[in-house]
């Protein structure tokens, strides 16, 4: 049985989540300056390494804060809101900064179509969740294995790209991430339509 922590009290798990959010601007700066160094023809690998370390640490902290919240029985409302936001901020930042057709020296990098696929999914699902919550009164988000696979493979792709590993296997991983993203997108859309249908039946 979980207990909501006292109002105004930040749990250790929530503090870790906040630290992950604060790390996002540092990650962005490291990647932006690395890209600028590529443009100048004098790449600074240390900047790419810093971005890699920050990203890996953030991925580890994502698992740690969730484990701590469940272990201590202090799953806070603030934490449940901030945790997915931290993931989105970091994931989308990495995805966008590692997609740059005008910079062939940045390898490997995500194909533009994949970046737009992920962005489109989030642009549909996030406002959709708020719409369901407003119309139905609550939104039920079912954890889908396809969504977990999509997130896990995407994170692996980002780490692969930041580490500068071989290009050919990278695109295979991107293909897996794209397939899982499309499947989870369809499943979440189905769940949303189902919740609207249930609400209509209850009102009749």
């Amino acid at each position: 049985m979980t207990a909501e922590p006292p109002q105004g009290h930040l749990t250790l798990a929530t503090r870790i989540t906040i630290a992950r959010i604060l790390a996002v601007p540092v990650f962005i700066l490291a990647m932006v300056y690395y890209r600028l160094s590529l443009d100048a023809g004098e790449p600074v690998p240390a900047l790419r390494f810093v971005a890699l370390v920050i990203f890996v640490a953030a991925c580890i902290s994502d698992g740690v804060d969730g484990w701590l919240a469940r272990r201590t029985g202090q799953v806070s409302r603030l934490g449940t809101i901030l945790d997915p936001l931290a993931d989105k901020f970091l994931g989308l930042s990495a995805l966008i900064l590692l997609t740059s057709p005008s910079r062939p020296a940045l390898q490997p990098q995500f194909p533009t179509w994949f970046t737009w696929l992920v962005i489109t999914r989030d642009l549909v699902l996030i406002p959709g969740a708020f719409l369901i919550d407003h119309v139905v009164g609550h939104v039920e988000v079912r954890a889908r294995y396809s969504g977990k696979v999509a997130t896990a493979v995407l994170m692996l792709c980002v780490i692969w790209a930041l580490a500068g590993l071989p290009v050919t296997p990278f695109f295979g991983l991107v293909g897996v991430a794209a397939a899982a993203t499309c499947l989870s997108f369809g499943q979440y859309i189905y769940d949303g339509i189902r919740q609207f249908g249930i609400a209509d039946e209850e009102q009749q």
Side-chain angles (χ1 to χ4, degrees):
M1 182 176 181
T2 60
E4 180 76 20
Q7 187 173 3
H9 173 72
L10 289 178
T11 65
L12 178 58
T14 302
R15 291 175 182 176
I16 293 175
T17 302
I18 292 174
R20 189 160 76 253
I21 293 175
L22 294 177
V24 174
V26 183
F27 170 82
I28 292 174
L29 282 175
M31 280 304 299
V32 167
Y33 278 108
Y34 176 71
R35 286 165 53 126
L36 290 175
S37 73
L38 287 178
D39 293 344
E42 299 177 354
V44 182
L47 291 171
R48 189 167 182 163
F49 179 73
V50 168
L52 172 62
V53 170
I54 292 173
F55 191 86
V56 171
C59 289
I60 294 173
S61 73
D62 185 25
V64 171
D65 60 14
W67 178 83
L68 277 175
R70 294 188 297 271
R71 179 75 173 179
T72 60
Q74 292 186 331
V75 180
S76 67
R77 178 169 176 78
L78 178 61
T80 57
I81 293 173
L82 291 181
D83 187 66
L85 286 178
D87 295 342
K88 292 299 180 187
F89 289 154
L90 183 66
L92 288 177
S93 297
L95 191 57
I96 291 170
L97 288 167
L98 287 168
T99 304
S100 185
S102 62
R103 289 180 173 84
L106 180 61
Q107 293 296 333
Q109 61 174 277
F110 289 95
T112 305
W113 62 264
F114 178 75
T115 303
W116 278 113
L117 171 64
V118 176
I119 292 174
T120 300
R121 180 199 60 185
D122 290 342
L123 288 177
V124 172
L125 294 185
I126 294 175
F130 282 107
L131 178 62
I132 294 172
D133 187 67
H134 175 73
V135 174
V136 178
H138 69 279
V139 58
E140 175 191 349
V141 180
R142 295 176 57 189
R144 295 284 191 173
Y145 284 111
S146 58
K148 293 179 180 180
V149 170
T151 300
V153 179
L154 174 58
M155 297 301 103
L156 178 59
C157 287
V158 171
I159 293 172
W160 189 288
L162 288 173
L165 297 177
V167 174
T168 303
F170 172 75
F171 286 112
L173 289 173
V174 170
V176 174
T181 298
C182 289
L183 178 58
S184 65
F185 190 14
Q187 289 177 322
Y188 288 132
I189 291 293
Y190 170 79
D191 288 342
I193 294 173
R194 180 181 57 83
Q195 290 182 60
F196 276 122
I198 293 173
D200 288 339
E201 291 177 0
E202 291 176 348
Q203 292 175 0
Q204 292 177 359

